[in-house]
Amino acid sequence: MIAPHADALVEHVRANRARYLDELRAWIAIPSISAQPAHAGDVRRSAEHAVARMRAAGLTDAEVLETGGHPVAYGAWLGAPGAPTILIYGHHDVQPDDPIALWTSPPFDAQVRDGKLYGRGAVDDKGQCLMHLAAIEAHLRVNGKLPLNVKVVIEGEEEVSSAHFESFLAREKERLACDCVVVSDTAVFAEDVPSLTTSLRGLVGWEITVHGPATDLHSGYYGGIVKNPLEALAQMLAALKDAHGRVVVPGFYDGVRELSPAERAEIAALPFDPAKEAAALGVPELSGESVRLPLERMWMRPTLEINGMYGGYQGDGSKTIIPSYAKAKLTSRLVPHQDPHAVRHAVTTFLKRVAPKGVTVEIEEHGDVRAVETSRDHPAVAAAARAMELGFGKPPVFIGTGGTIGPVSSFDRILHLPQVLIGVGLPDDAIHAPNERFDLGQFYGGIETMTYLYDELAKALR
Amino acid sequence: MIAPHADALVEHVRANRARYLDELRAWIAIPSISAQPAHAGDVRRSAEHAVARMRAAGLTDAEVLETGGHPVAYGAWLGAPGAPTILIYGHHDVQPDDPIALWTSPPFDAQVRDGKLYGRGAVDDKGQCLMHLAAIEAHLRVNGKLPLNVKVVIEGEEEVSSAHFESFLAREKERLACDCVVVSDTAVFAEDVPSLTTSLRGLVGWEITVHGPATDLHSGYYGGIVKNPLEALAQMLAALKDAHGRVVVPGFYDGVRELSPAERAEIAALPFDPAKEAAALGVPELSGESVRLPLERMWMRPTLEINGMYGGYQGDGSKTIIPSYAKAKLTSRLVPHQDPHAVRHAVTTFLKRVAPKGVTVEIEEHGDVRAVETSRDHPAVAAAARAMELGFGKPPVFIGTGGTIGPVSSFDRILHLPQVLIGVGLPDDAIHAPNERFDLGQFYGGIETMTYLYDELAKALR
């Protein structure tokens, strides 16, 4: 199965697994939480750490690039004149670590248990970035060169909607010029099902504040004459969906296309057992739009989700107040052909319209990421499929993902570049949650896949 | 206006105002938050402090009495054989101090601004307890005796539903035997409207936990197939009331009586301006059952209020998760003739019935306080009215209060004792909220009122 000329590369990366693992642990140790201003210095340290690792891999021109927000780590090897150029994208920022109490081992002191490395950012996305740096290093150390030109962009704001990435792209257009973008920030369908992703959902969000009385009030003295902000917010949020899980906001589904019978059949053919999935997630049964297939709901239907909500007393025991305010954070995952601005506006308008009297409502909108579909017929995608077959021993299936990678949307919309979405996470890696992990089999298989990928892309894009 | 024999008493308490203020500040400095286990030691220190103050006032038999929960401070003066005996009830525990950021001065370092003392417990209820201890001390120092026998019970669990007070009452029935109970834990109708309270609402509560997935999930990967616990909870809470603010839980209003035309007229005659009240509270307009008078809604209608709710991400920026769980704390203020157990059961049953599929719901019930009505025709209430007229210069009006004092319900239901509800807080004292305060005019007027009260009750109960 292994192409003869690649033997030495595979031997090299297999011999260096322990080092790659140590390197990943060292990178995870930097708590680069982009959402929390207190960690801004850590995000910068993480970018510097990535640049140092790029230099060690043999990339030249490695440097921290400013964006106006958290910085990008950038490096390139351009020693193959006449050969194609790929741009590898990943991100070095991570999600917040709370609720911290639910982590079995400390989120930033990554530990191996049962063949998995547990730590914040292990698979999302430091580990997947490191797969590429290890594969590039292997080519340069074993062969002294790469079969194509490589540029690596490791962003620091992916987990906060890539706020400055589009302006960075526009400004650095020349430096980043390439023939194809390679993104490793996705998961395969299942452990034994190598997969390439051909659709990603977009993302917009809202932060809602319902203001009631100027201060918390005694619920006995004032109970009966003041609208409770938590009650108002609950009523507004409850109004968003009908009993079948469908969003009732006018215009919300504008542009959403129905799957073709062929697409439905393809999705239905994938191994997916709702009862098993529910048990794995710890819920009594799956939920959502009842007339749609679960995988369709996850990949090709938009969502409207409450990510957080709070107000009033949250401590031990009880405190009999009418709270002064209530807050909720909502996001919507968008599917191809939905307009982020239109969806943002539609939901904001609806929430203001259904807000009860007696309170005032403030809504901040954020996020602006369109969904993306890539073509599985593109030669680069076919090359990625061959690399994945070489790395994992079977040809990949083509899947969607319900997640969002803002820059994929930017590359698509602004640079009109072909993209390869080749990630090797597992669906149960608990990304964005306590006990995030990276299966080491996937990590090492991913490194081998990437050593093949550069050869395959060099041929396909010639 | 001042009865001649009381001149020396009034002179005494006026001369000692600065000391009373210092004493109140010292007591407030003990953060006796009964709801928070970390403050259990402080609640005990507060009881010991109260006992020391009782001894200084001249009460004998002063001691800390155990209840199985937070302790009671007890003291008595029984030097008037043949004269009536009153039991003065108050509480030394306080509400939690959060949200701490909204306090202008530290909650437990009480400070005077504009003639008001700001601190947690200033008026609820340490300051009002101290009115009695100061008045008792004045009688004993000036006259060497009181006109009746006095027992003082200062509880440590009033803010946590007086969990152990009923069993304490039952056990200490003999020690606490009396002719009448005097409670100073209420407010007057307005600053220039001395008032006696003749009805109090009851209280029951619920803590609801909605369990979703075993851990927080990535809202992209899983959005569309998992019921969001915050959404489920919002839907359940929104189902509790109709668009007119009426609770739709079957049986919720069982036993609630309609006001008579005379009662309605009396309430309507009290000075109450909804627009002014809304402005004072900082809300655009008052809310609640639209067909009822505001004061009727506050005093004689039950409530169902969300005191706190939370789930998911509450930090800076966004975190795109489906949270693992959501929680809400609810309480209901009850009115006379509602059965606390029936209301608890009705709401629990309703919430479980409307819970959406895909989540599991856990409901803890707590609280068991019936509403109370006292008779304004009782001689003790008439005596209190005379004392208040002497202390504040006008005859009091009779009012209800929307608040709850569990022990008043216990005295009523278990000991069948007449009760006088003579509190002097102001409606805008921000009890249970940041910047709780006690108007010093009310504090000092309250002390003078209590010096008269003992004389008046001695005559009335003879």
Side-chain angles (χ1 to χ4, degrees), chain A residues 98 201 220 225 317 319 329 427, chain B residues 98 201 220 222 287 317 319 329:
Chain A
D98 69 306
R201 292 196 285 195
I225 63 165
K319 186 169 176 224
K329 292 169 189 273
Chain B
D98 71 307
R201 290 196 285 196
Y222 296 101
S287 183
K319 187 169 177 221
K329 291 170 190 275

Side-chain angles (χ1 to χ4, degrees), chain B residues 244-256:
Chain B
H244 306 289
R246 190 180 162 85
V247 175
V248 300
V249 174
F252 183 79
Y253 291 100
D254 281 2
V256 177

